Amino acid sequence: MTDAAKLEWRAGEVPVSTRFDDPYYSLENGLAETRHVFLAGNDLPARFRDGFQVAELGFGTGLNLLACLQAWRQAGVGGVLRFTSFEAFPMAAPDMIRAQAQFPELADIAAEMAPHWETGAQAVSLPDLEFRLIVGDARDTLPGWDGRADAWFLDGFSPAKNPELWEEGLLTAMGQHTAPGGTAATYTAAGFVRRGLEAAGFAVERVPGYGRKRHMTRATKGTA
């Protein structure tokens, strides 16, 4: 049986994991952080095309999915966005819906997705989206995944508090499931994470982070 996320609400309406003592998104502006780190960090929406595969370590509140789907629709890309997320401790549907409600800009998409969360769906098919949630420890589930990502959102909790999701072995598996020229982005600039990405075959750069985080990490997989 899968363990559910354990959380409490702080600073108004920000969910914080009590398991990892870390907020699910920026206390300043979670949506702005997502757009800066994961969308811009992967050069999106410019790289979108039919069948583009986003993969994510850490589904959390689902905020990144909603923001990505909004960017896809606003860009007017034809076809289907593929989005796969790996999550060990899924958030209960009422908590996820409550968290998503904090972002009025995403209200339409949040309302569209809410019925799927309420039924516990781990796969959602829309005319422009194929979403899959893979529940379990990513160290076990990612190696057997049949996909290859064009862009990775590395959004686990802080490496200091959730080191399992940043282990070199997991990053190696991530690299093996990345298309040539694929990218990854994360809010952390921790040295061991950058070294793990380099060992996995990525060219890594440290770039300006969001808000109070001076730096973040962008990585590109070689095409050879």
Side-chain angles (χ1 to χ4, degrees), residues 32-77:
E33 180 184 46
T34 287
R35 288 169 171 165
H36 177 88
V37 175
F38 299 115
L39 297 183
N42 281 290
D43 194 22
L44 304 176
R47 295 172 56 221
F48 281 150
R49 54 171 171 72
D50 182 20
F52 192 88
Q53 173 73 67
V54 174
E56 175 181 53
L57 292 181
F59 184 60
T61 66
L63 172 61
N64 296 339
L65 168 64
L66 301 193
C68 190
L69 181 56
Q70 182 188 61
W72 174 274
R73 290 175 174 176
Q74 290 178 343
V77 184

Side-chain angles (χ1 to χ4, degrees), residues 103-217:
F103 305 99
E105 291 176 70
L106 301 174
D108 289 348
I109 295 177
E112 184 179 355
M113 298 300 292
H116 298 285
W117 311 142
E118 290 169 343
T119 62
Q122 295 182 7
V124 177
S125 294
L126 302 175
D128 58 357
L129 174 70
E130 288 292 336
F131 168 74
R132 184 180 177 197
L133 178 65
I134 299 178
V135 176
D137 189 323
R139 293 173 295 180
D140 300 325
T141 59
L142 175 54
W145 182 44
D146 59 3
R148 288 204 303 174
D150 298 297
W152 279 95
F153 296 176
L154 305 183
D155 197 21
F157 290 111
S158 163
K161 298 176 178 180
N162 183 201
E164 298 83 3
L165 211 54
W166 307 92
E167 290 180 357
E168 186 170 312
L170 181 55
L171 296 179
T172 296
M174 187 205 99
Q176 293 168 344
H177 288 82
T178 302
T183 60
T186 178
Y187 61 84
T188 184
F192 82 93
V193 173
R194 290 187 282 118
R195 291 189 293 272
L197 287 167
E198 288 172 347
F202 290 87
V204 177
E205 58 181 328
R206 191 171 68 168
V207 297
Y210 174 77
R212 290 172 288 180
K213 292 175 178 151
R214 291 183 59 195
H215 300 110
M216 57 171 272
T217 301

